[in-house]
């Protein structure tokens, strides 16, 4: 809204906007969610902001639902991730991240990370679902659920607008997320929602079957590698790249190019974050 009031239009920046969605287990509901989001975005851009056809195209990345992964019977997470990835593709995502099956237990192993990648590749190259656009269009159930989700999303947008916009509605949105998570957990604990291996089809006394890493040894090796990396950097080039990040943060310019340059100069994430904290401070919810 501020950009529009400043004289910019969606012809200027609409095609560059993108969003990040999560995919959970209910395949048809998730497909309908993505379809509803695409349709709602197009309608809002066209009717409210008179956006170009390019601005009306919703661009979004999807990650499979980390909160759905279970420590119990972790290999079941391969199936969950596959279903979630499939729903994202059927819903029209432009890019996709698939979680590793052992992420509820530890950092992903090399094996599990590779299998997560292969999951995407099998969906993309063997399933056939990428051969057509919107393959579930016309399904009476998917169309009805898409309509319902769009209506409910509009209700939320209206409530947020009545509260004065997203910035002023943070508490409302946070509370809605908390309530939804609480309801979901109660359904699991009460047996109203089945989670295989957690509250149904359990294997009593079964372990995870995975060896836990020696985190102490990993920490020592990581610190040693970090010291070696820092000692081999060009200190002056690093200092200049971090100063460019600082100047961009101070002026409100696009931070991505100077941050990429700083990373090329071997700046760490912590060092870049320290620069931003130095300019902006930290957020205190209280």
């Amino acid at each position: 809204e501020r950009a529009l009031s400043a004289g910019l239009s969606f012809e200027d920046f609409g095609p560059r906007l993108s969003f990040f969605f999560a995919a959970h287990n209910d395949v048809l509901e998730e497909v309908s969610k993505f379809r509803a989001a695409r349709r709602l975005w197009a309608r809002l851009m066209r009717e409210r902001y008179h956006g170009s056809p390019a601005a009306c195209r919703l661009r979004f990345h999807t990650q499979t639902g980390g909160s759905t992964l279970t420590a119990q019977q972790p290999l079941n997470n391969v199936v969950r991730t596959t279903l979630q990835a499939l729903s994202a593709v059927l819903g029209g995502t432009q890019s996709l991240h698939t979680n590793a099956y052992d992420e509820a237990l530890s950092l992903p192993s090399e094996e599990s990370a590779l299998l997560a990648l292969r999951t995407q590749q099998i969906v993309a190259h063997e399933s056939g679902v990428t051969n057509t656009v919107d393959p579930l269009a016309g399904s009476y159930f998917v169309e009805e659920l898409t309509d319902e989700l769009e209506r409910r999303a509009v209700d939320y947008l209206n409530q947020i607008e009545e509260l004065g916009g997203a910035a002023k509605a943070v508490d409302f949105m946070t509370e809605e997320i908390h309530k939804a998570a609480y309801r979901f957990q109660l359904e699991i604990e009460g047996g109203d929602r089945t989670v295989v291996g957690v509250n149904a089809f359990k294997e009593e006394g079964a372990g995870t079957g995975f060896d836990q890493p020696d985190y102490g040894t990993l920490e020592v090796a990581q610190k040693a590698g970090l010291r070696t990396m820092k000692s081999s950097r060009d200190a002056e080039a690093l200092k200049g790249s971090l100063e460019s990040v600082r100047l961009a943060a101070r002026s409100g310019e696009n931070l991505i190019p100077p941050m990429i340059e700083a990373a090329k100069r071997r700046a760490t994430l912590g060092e870049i974050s320290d620069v931003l904290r130095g300019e902006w401070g930290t957020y205190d919810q209280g």
Side-chain angles (χ1 to χ4, degrees):
E1 297 285 355
R2 288 195 297 269
L4 293 176
S5 65
L8 296 175
S9 72
F10 278 95
E11 305 302 322
D12 299 308
F13 65 89
R16 302 189 188 98
L17 291 174
S18 60
F19 296 85
F20 190 112
F21 291 147
H24 286 218
N25 289 334
D26 190 323
V27 173
L28 296 182
E29 182 177 286
E30 294 302 293
V31 173
S32 301
K33 176 183 75 179
F34 298 129
R35 296 179 79 247
R38 291 165 56 199
R39 195 166 67 186
L40 178 57
W41 174 262
R43 185 157 56 83
L44 287 173
M45 293 305 101
R46 183 174 58 252
E47 296 178 1
R48 181 177 296 188
Y49 301 111
H50 310 292
S52 67
C56 292
R57 299 187 192 113
L58 178 67
R59 299 172 63 237
F60 67 96
H61 169 82
T62 304
Q63 180 170 351
T64 56
S67 64
T68 69
L69 303 182
T70 64
Q72 302 91 330
Q73 301 179 24
L75 285 175
N76 293 344
N77 295 329
V78 177
V79 183
R80 293 186 177 102
T81 298
T82 303
L83 292 175
Q84 293 163 9
L86 181 64
S87 72
V89 174
L90 292 171
T93 193
Q94 282 81 50
S95 61
L96 179 65
H97 170 88
T98 45
N99 288 359
Y101 64 81
D102 53 357
E103 289 187 27
L105 297 165
S106 65
L107 293 174
S109 65
E110 183 176 353
E111 177 191 43
S112 67
L114 180 60
L115 182 56
L117 173 62
R118 295 292 181 257
T119 300
Q120 288 197 40
Q121 292 167 333
I122 290 171
V123 171
H125 300 291
E126 297 186 26
S127 70
V129 297
T130 62
N131 293 337
T132 186
V133 174
D134 201 9
L136 294 188
S139 160
Y140 76 90
F141 181 78
V142 170
E143 294 294 353
E144 175 59 30
L145 191 52
T146 300
D147 291 342
E148 179 185 352
L149 288 171
E150 184 177 2
R151 286 193 298 269
R152 294 172 69 172
V154 169
D155 289 341
Y156 266 118
L157 291 177
N158 290 338
Q159 291 181 69
I160 292 167
E161 192 168 2
E162 289 172 3
L163 290 169
K168 296 182 179 179
V170 169
D171 289 341
F172 165 73
M173 293 186 286
T174 301
E175 180 66 18
E176 289 297 292
I177 293 170
H178 288 170
K179 288 192 295 187
Y182 183 60
R183 286 195 303 268
F184 189 90
Q185 186 61 33
L186 288 181
E187 290 172 2
I188 295 174
E189 294 178 4
D192 297 319
R193 180 183 295 271
T194 298
V195 180
V196 174
V198 176
N199 64 356
F201 312 108
K202 296 184 288 186
E203 297 177 12
E204 299 298 338
T208 63
F210 298 103
D211 294 329
Q212 293 296 313
D214 183 344
Y215 291 110
T217 301
L218 287 174
E219 180 182 3
V220 171
Q222 185 67 17
K223 286 181 176 179
L226 183 61
R227 285 194 296 270
T228 300
M229 184 273 289
K230 285 186 173 182
S231 67
S232 65
R233 298 184 297 188
D234 183 329
E236 287 302 315
L238 173 67
K239 181 179 178 181
S241 67
L242 290 175
E243 183 61 23
S244 296
V245 174
R246 186 187 313 280
L247 293 174
R250 186 173 298 172
S251 65
E253 295 179 5
N254 186 353
L255 279 166
I256 299 302
M259 288 173 68
I260 291 174
E261 185 60 29
K264 289 180 178 178
R265 300 296 181 182
R266 309 306 299 277
T268 67
L269 177 61
E271 289 168 334
I272 295 172
S273 298
D274 285 342
V275 169
L276 300 180
R277 278 189 287 266
E279 287 300 314
W280 298 338
T282 56
Y283 174 69
D284 183 1
Q285 190 173 12

